[in-house]
Amino acid sequence: MPAGFTAAALAERFALELIGDGGLVVSGVATLAHATAGQLSFLSNPRYRGQLADSQAGVVVMRAADAEDYAGTALLAADPYVAFARIAALFDPPPPLEPGIHASAVVHASASVDPGAQVDAFCSIGARSRIAAGAVIGPGCVIGDDCVVGEGSRLVARVTLVRRVRLGKRVLIHPGAVLGADGFGLAMDAGHWIKVPQQGGVLVGDDCEIGANTTIDRGAIEDTVLGDDVRLDNQIQIGHNVRIGAHTAMAGCAAVAGSATIGSYCLVGGAAGILGHLEVCDRVMITAMSLVTSSIREPGEYSSGTPLMPNREWRRNAARFRQLDTLARRVNAQDKPARDKED
Amino acid sequence: MPAGFTAAALAERFALELIGDGGLVVSGVATLAHATAGQLSFLSNPRYRGQLADSQAGVVVMRAADAEDYAGTALLAADPYVAFARIAALFDPPPPLEPGIHASAVVHASASVDPGAQVDAFCSIGARSRIAAGAVIGPGCVIGDDCVVGEGSRLVARVTLVRRVRLGKRVLIHPGAVLGADGFGLAMDAGHWIKVPQQGGVLVGDDCEIGANTTIDRGAIEDTVLGDDVRLDNQIQIGHNVRIGAHTAMAGCAAVAGSATIGSYCLVGGAAGILGHLEVCDRVMITAMSLVTSSIREPGEYSSGTPLMPNREWRRNAARFRQLDTLARRVNAQDKPARDKED
Amino acid sequence: MPAGFTAAALAERFALELIGDGGLVVSGVATLAHATAGQLSFLSNPRYRGQLADSQAGVVVMRAADAEDYAGTALLAADPYVAFARIAALFDPPPPLEPGIHASAVVHASASVDPGAQVDAFCSIGARSRIAAGAVIGPGCVIGDDCVVGEGSRLVARVTLVRRVRLGKRVLIHPGAVLGADGFGLAMDAGHWIKVPQQGGVLVGDDCEIGANTTIDRGAIEDTVLGDDVRLDNQIQIGHNVRIGAHTAMAGCAAVAGSATIGSYCLVGGAAGILGHLEVCDRVMITAMSLVTSSIREPGEYSSGTPLMPNREWRRNAARFRQLDTLARRVNAQDKPARDKED
């Protein structure tokens, strides 16, 4: 970790306007509430604005509008969160690459590992798979046959690429994720299930991030596809043949059923679900725990569900939901004589 | 992969009616939209019927009714998806068995591994566990004490059988699945939780399939039981003491709480939930993200939840859900004078 | 496993009142329905009361009120489930500790493993991490840099502690759990996501239990914190910066988004969700699959969702939910003339 940066150096490096003491040195980042004089913090979410006055932070990144009454040292940014993210990265460099294959790793004779790649302990790499330069395969990963890990991609630990998974460049995959498992393809035949072969693969674009214990099945015939810069949180389930457009992000526990097509720049909330064989256009936002049951053709924000209530109230209202159609018919019937009278 | 099959050979092998050119050779399968002249495709879901006319597929499996106007070569099947699944399997043979125990595997002295079983790198097999002939234990699996893996079962990679897990024959388990972890049994004692011992096991019937990162806890006293031919997708959670009947299938992220009993031939949709200590009879279908809160005694399809809407509309309607009981009472009150007048 | 205990010995050991034959020896536990004469069972849930008369159990733990008509041998307890849990533990001792580091494990030179700790096969332990006495690191675990595993904690198998994860004493973690992965911190910059560094850690109190395939992300700046005696079931997702108070328990598939603060002695039902940046006070109970969308400041039970119905009925009612606001407005309008007339 570096010794520190002056406020002036940070201002210059990230093209931010400086107010206050440019010679102030910061050696780390912290929240407004807990920062010390040697740390940098940020104000982006208005709900934390009240913490600014009492903050001990040496330097605070904020919008110009928030700095008007501020007596301390500040770096002004149109988007303080973006500026903070860039500055914070200076204090959190990735672990240095240690190229080479750990003695315990098992690499198939037909696989190719670039001399500039790092393969850690207890990894297994299958037939015809290729690991590019700058890639890191952390401890305990299993890479099956016919996979590709692109330049600078990092599988943190215990990631599985089952078969025919091709990752672009700078893809980051967290522990426990499983890409390329069989899609869930079944056909009922005379009272028994028969398995439908899953002959496709998974294609992941550049700069994607895939969370811990997330699963992405390989396609039945063609590939399951993630565009560039797709960001998936933990415990997400992506069924076979799904296609996700570039820059789409999904929060934890979201699930997309087979053969759904999702556009670019979509935001899918936590534990939201998208049924199979649907299309969701670009720039759609689905709120948490909502269920998408038909295609969405207009950008915008969509929701389902009911509000949270004390259980006693909820029971009364939920019981009425059972009668909602009857209730609506009765209101209609009441309206009718009223309208008849008006005639 | 085999060089190819003639349409006539496929017709004979799978007892399908052939129309068109029986000498046509196919060497793989593809979707209607992307198939080439050397590939076989299928038409089952009517939504893809429009793709038939333009398809370049050499051979298409379809129902007789769909073939009436079709000029190409077709194989006619009562269930084209089943027929396709069988044909496609010809082009996707399982990896050949490589019997033997990898040098890196750690096998307890009291465990028994059949000479016809395959145990891959970095596997650990515990006391008194038995691996039958034809079973494959893929890389990185952990098999604890007192487990049984039946003939021809395959643990793809990084599967954990914690303790007392007995698998039938031809069971397929995908990476990251954990069977036999402690059930979630707690009792509150003087302000602290105490753990209730989990002394049962997990019993899995023949021909089951268990998806990636799915978890099945072992029973508290007796076993958690999956009947034959149960099919579980990814990221499913099955609590302790659950019993699932034969041929039941569950889609991704479904969850079944402890001590629920589910019948045979049920279909549980994605992210659906079933509360504990309930009974669900045979041939029940639960739609996606529905929650089963009491026993179901009649076959049929069941649902809960609300439809997806633009968020602005949803907010208005959801706010009214809070008042639903009041609303219903007012409608009742309005009806009363009307009925009084009728008297 | 011990040979057995007399009813009198159990009564004395756990300070329970004995009725019947104190010399009766039990050598295991079972359910009322399946217990034999040499086994002990319990009656706690009234739904199983009908099984008491026919039970073959040698000894039954029950409340005094339930024992009035009971002719067999019983141990009377204020909380039979707690008493049963303590007795059952006698028959399910934990596997004996086998201190030492397996030859295949890879331990960083700067890590410290207490001689009284057990590190199993295929484990990897990173820089500066410390494993305390009595801790068990089961097969296939990955422990990254700067982690601490406290005294007597047990990582069953294939657990990952990514970075800066500190576990208290007697913490139990089931297979597939991932603690300390990057929080999901993103900022949109000129059409691309940039990653917000995640510099915090995860702090887990004493006596916590963490289920199979559960994920707990490390904090963005400060730590993600679990208080003492927190109990998490399988497949739970805890976002970065979340704080969970002591003795709170969550059922399978629950999810808590980033920066939420949850009190002590809360019970979160299966697949329930809690949005980010909220506060939930002590002693709140959330029912299964409910979504918490704003802070909760009063103890009590809370719910959202709609009841399960046959799909045909559900469709009719759900369609009306789309019109609920309109319906309410019409009822209001109908009320108005009625009220006008009353004036």
Side-chain angles (χ1 to χ4, degrees):
Chain A
M1 196 172 292
F5 298 87
T6 64
L10 294 172
E12 186 182 348
R13 183 165 186 156
F14 296 105
L16 304 170
E17 185 181 346
L18 168 74
I19 59 172
D21 178 4
L24 225 151
V25 176
V26 290
S27 56
V29 300
T31 57
L32 282 175
H34 294 101
T36 60
Q39 291 179 310
L40 174 142
S41 191
F42 73 108
L43 173 62
S44 174
N45 187 333
R47 87 169 69 198
Y48 297 113
R49 201 179 189 297
Q51 297 180 356
L52 185 58
D54 294 332
S55 179
Q56 302 299 308
V59 179
V60 181
V61 183
M62 64 181 79
R63 289 183 194 84
D66 286 322
E68 280 172 16
D69 309 326
Y70 186 62
T73 296
L75 294 169
L76 307 185
D79 188 333
Y81 193 47
V82 166
F84 172 78
R86 295 193 183 286
I87 295 169
L90 297 177
F91 300 104
D92 190 43
L97 188 73
E98 301 176 13
I101 301 174
H102 190 275
S104 66
V106 174
V107 180
H108 192 277
S110 65
S112 85
V113 178
D114 188 279
Q118 171 181 340
V119 176
D120 288 344
F122 315 126
C123 284
S124 163
I125 299 181
R128 296 170 301 279
S129 286
R130 289 183 291 121
I131 314 297
V136 175
I137 312 298
C141 290
V142 175
I143 296 180
D145 297 347
D146 301 298
C147 294
V148 175
V149 178
E151 268 179 54
S153 288
R154 177 180 291 260
L155 281 55
V156 173
R158 279 186 49 234
V159 168
T160 305
L161 308 184
V162 182
R163 264 171 99 179
R164 293 191 289 268
V165 178
R166 284 158 293 146
L167 308 179
K169 298 176 182 174
R170 300 172 303 277
V171 171
L172 174 61
I173 309 186
H174 295 288
V178 178
L179 281 72
D182 287 4
F184 196 58
L186 300 169
M188 180 56 78
D189 181 36
H192 287 71
W193 292 110
I194 63 169
K195 187 170 172 64
V196 180
Q198 303 291 310
Q199 307 189 12
V202 176
L203 184 60
V204 176
D206 295 339
D207 300 306
C208 289
E209 181 168 359
I210 294 167
N213 285 350
T214 281
T215 49
I216 305 177
D217 282 350
R218 66 178 197 270
I221 296 179
E222 293 160 12
D223 291 338
T224 302
V225 179
L226 272 65
D228 291 341
D229 197 30
V230 166
R231 307 287 177 144
L232 303 184
D233 196 358
N234 298 344
Q235 307 225 28
I236 287 174
Q237 153 69 1
I238 305 293
H240 58 176
N241 312 316
V242 166
R243 303 180 72 92
I244 303 178
H247 314 293
T248 283
M250 299 194 188
C253 306
V256 183
S259 301
T261 298
I262 299 174
S264 296
Y265 290 110
C266 291
L267 297 172
V268 178
I274 298 178
L275 294 192
H277 296 273
L278 302 182
E279 287 178 32
V280 173
C281 68
D282 294 351
R283 298 187 185 276
V284 166
M285 187 172 174
I286 307 294
T287 59
M289 220 184 269
S290 296
L291 180 66
V292 180
T293 54
S294 54
S295 292
I296 298 179
R297 312 208 183 275
E298 295 292 329
E301 187 177 3
Y302 295 82
S303 302
S304 69
T306 75
L308 193 83
M309 281 170 279
N311 179 265
R312 185 186 297 253
E313 288 174 42
W314 175 82
R315 282 177 182 275
R316 282 201 299 265
N317 291 312
R320 296 296 186 175
F321 183 84
R322 291 185 182 281
Q323 312 159 347
L324 197 50
D325 184 49
T326 306
L327 188 74
R329 288 174 189 278
R330 286 172 54 194
V331 173
N332 285 348
Q334 288 175 5
D335 259 9
K336 195 160 177 298
R339 264 179 277 135
D340 289 350
K341 274 181 219 154
E342 283 164 17
D343 291 341
Chain B
M1 194 171 293
F5 299 86
T6 64
L10 294 172
E12 187 181 347
R13 183 164 184 157
F14 296 105
L16 303 171
E17 186 181 345
L18 169 73
I19 59 172
D21 178 4
L24 225 150
V25 175
V26 290
S27 56
V29 300
T31 57
L32 282 176
H34 294 102
T36 60
Q39 292 179 309
L40 174 142
S41 190
F42 73 107
L43 172 63
S44 175
N45 187 331
R47 86 169 70 196
Y48 297 112
R49 200 179 191 297
Q51 297 181 356
L52 186 59
D54 294 333
S55 178
Q56 302 299 308
V59 179
V60 180
V61 183
M62 64 182 80
R63 288 183 195 85
D66 286 321
E68 281 172 16
D69 310 326
Y70 186 63
T73 296
L75 294 169
L76 307 185
D79 188 332
Y81 194 47
V82 167
F84 172 78
R86 295 193 183 287
I87 294 169
L90 298 177
F91 300 103
D92 190 44
L97 188 73
E98 300 176 13
I101 300 175
H102 190 274
S104 66
V106 174
V107 179
H108 193 277
S110 65
S112 85
V113 178
D114 189 280
Q118 171 180 339
V119 177
D120 288 344
F122 316 125
C123 285
S124 162
I125 299 180
R128 297 170 301 278
S129 287
R130 290 183 290 119
I131 314 297
V136 175
I137 312 297
C141 290
V142 176
I143 296 180
D145 296 347
D146 301 298
C147 294
V148 175
V149 178
E151 268 179 55
S153 288
R154 177 181 291 260
L155 281 54
V156 174
R158 280 186 47 234
V159 168
T160 306
L161 309 183
V162 182
R163 266 170 97 181
R164 293 191 289 267
V165 178
R166 284 157 294 148
L167 308 180
K169 298 175 182 173
R170 298 172 303 276
V171 171
L172 174 61
I173 310 186
H174 296 287
V178 178
L179 280 72
D182 287 4
F184 196 58
L186 299 170
M188 179 56 78
D189 181 36
H192 286 72
W193 293 110
I194 64 169
K195 188 172 172 64
V196 180
Q198 303 291 309
Q199 306 189 13
V202 177
L203 184 59
V204 175
D206 296 340
D207 299 306
C208 289
E209 181 168 358
I210 294 167
N213 285 349
T214 281
T215 49
I216 305 177
D217 281 350
R218 66 178 196 270
I221 297 179
E222 293 161 9
D223 290 338
T224 302
V225 179
L226 272 65
D228 292 341
D229 197 29
V230 167
R231 307 288 177 143
L232 303 184
D233 196 357
N234 297 345
Q235 307 225 27
I236 287 174
Q237 152 69 1
I238 305 293
H240 56 177
N241 312 316
V242 166
R243 303 179 72 92
I244 302 178
H247 315 294
T248 283
M250 299 193 187
C253 307
V256 183
S259 300
T261 298
I262 299 174
S264 297
Y265 290 110
C266 291
L267 296 173
V268 178
I274 298 177
L275 294 192
H277 295 273
L278 302 183
E279 287 178 32
V280 173
C281 68
D282 294 350
R283 298 187 185 275
V284 166
M285 186 172 174
I286 308 293
T287 59
M289 219 183 269
S290 296
L291 180 66
V292 180
T293 54
S294 54
S295 292
I296 298 180
R297 311 207 184 276
E298 294 292 328
E301 187 177 4
Y302 295 82
S303 302
S304 69
T306 75
L308 193 83
M309 282 169 280
N311 179 265
R312 184 186 297 253
E313 288 174 40
W314 175 81
R315 282 178 182 275
R316 282 201 301 265
N317 291 314
R320 296 297 186 177
F321 183 84
R322 291 184 182 280
Q323 313 159 347
L324 197 49
D325 184 50
T326 306
L327 188 73
R329 288 174 189 277
R330 286 171 55 195
V331 173
N332 284 349
Q334 288 175 4
D335 259 10
K336 195 162 179 299
R339 263 177 278 135
D340 288 351
K341 276 181 217 151
E342 283 163 19
D343 290 343
Chain C
M1 193 172 293
F5 299 86
T6 64
L10 293 173
E12 186 181 350
R13 183 165 185 157
F14 296 105
L16 304 170
E17 186 181 345
L18 168 74
I19 60 173
D21 177 4
L24 225 150
V25 175
V26 290
S27 55
V29 300
T31 56
L32 282 175
H34 294 102
T36 60
Q39 291 179 308
L40 175 142
S41 190
F42 73 108
L43 172 62
S44 175
N45 188 332
R47 88 169 68 195
Y48 297 113
R49 202 179 188 298
Q51 297 181 356
L52 186 59
D54 294 333
S55 179
Q56 302 299 308
V59 178
V60 180
V61 184
M62 64 182 80
R63 290 184 193 83
D66 286 321
E68 280 172 17
D69 310 326
Y70 186 64
T73 297
L75 293 169
L76 306 186
D79 187 333
Y81 194 46
V82 166
F84 171 78
R86 295 194 182 286
I87 295 170
L90 298 177
F91 300 104
D92 190 43
L97 188 74
E98 301 176 13
I101 300 175
H102 190 275
S104 65
V106 174
V107 180
H108 193 277
S110 65
S112 84
V113 177
D114 189 280
Q118 172 180 340
V119 176
D120 288 344
F122 315 126
C123 285
S124 163
I125 299 180
R128 296 169 302 279
S129 287
R130 289 183 291 121
I131 314 297
V136 175
I137 312 297
C141 290
V142 176
I143 296 179
D145 297 347
D146 301 298
C147 294
V148 175
V149 177
E151 269 179 53
S153 288
R154 177 180 292 260
L155 281 55
V156 173
R158 278 186 49 235
V159 168
T160 307
L161 309 183
V162 182
R163 265 171 99 180
R164 293 191 289 269
V165 178
R166 284 158 294 147
L167 308 179
K169 298 176 181 174
R170 299 172 303 276
V171 171
L172 174 61
I173 309 186
H174 296 287
V178 178
L179 280 72
D182 288 3
F184 196 58
L186 300 170
M188 180 55 79
D189 181 36
H192 287 72
W193 293 109
I194 64 171
K195 188 171 172 64
V196 180
Q198 303 291 310
Q199 307 189 12
V202 176
L203 184 59
V204 175
D206 295 340
D207 299 306
C208 289
E209 180 168 359
I210 294 167
N213 285 350
T214 281
T215 49
I216 304 177
D217 282 350
R218 67 178 196 270
I221 296 180
E222 293 161 10
D223 291 338
T224 302
V225 180
L226 272 64
D228 291 341
D229 197 29
V230 167
R231 306 287 177 144
L232 303 184
D233 195 357
N234 298 344
Q235 307 224 28
I236 287 174
Q237 153 68 1
I238 306 292
H240 57 176
N241 312 316
V242 166
R243 303 179 73 91
I244 302 177
H247 313 294
T248 283
M250 299 193 188
C253 306
V256 183
S259 301
T261 299
I262 298 174
S264 296
Y265 289 110
C266 292
L267 297 172
V268 178
I274 298 177
L275 294 193
H277 295 274
L278 301 182
E279 287 178 31
V280 173
C281 68
D282 294 350
R283 297 186 185 276
V284 166
M285 186 172 174
I286 308 294
T287 59
M289 218 184 269
S290 296
L291 181 66
V292 180
T293 55
S294 54
S295 292
I296 298 180
R297 311 208 184 276
E298 294 293 328
E301 187 177 3
Y302 294 83
S303 303
S304 69
T306 74
L308 194 83
M309 281 170 278
N311 180 265
R312 184 186 297 252
E313 288 174 40
W314 175 81
R315 283 178 182 275
R316 282 201 300 265
N317 291 312
R320 296 296 186 176
F321 183 84
R322 291 184 182 280
Q323 312 159 348
L324 196 50
D325 183 49
T326 305
L327 188 74
R329 288 174 189 277
R330 286 171 55 195
V331 173
N332 285 348
Q334 288 175 5
D335 258 9
K336 195 159 177 300
R339 263 177 278 136
D340 289 351
K341 275 181 219 154
E342 285 164 17
D343 291 342

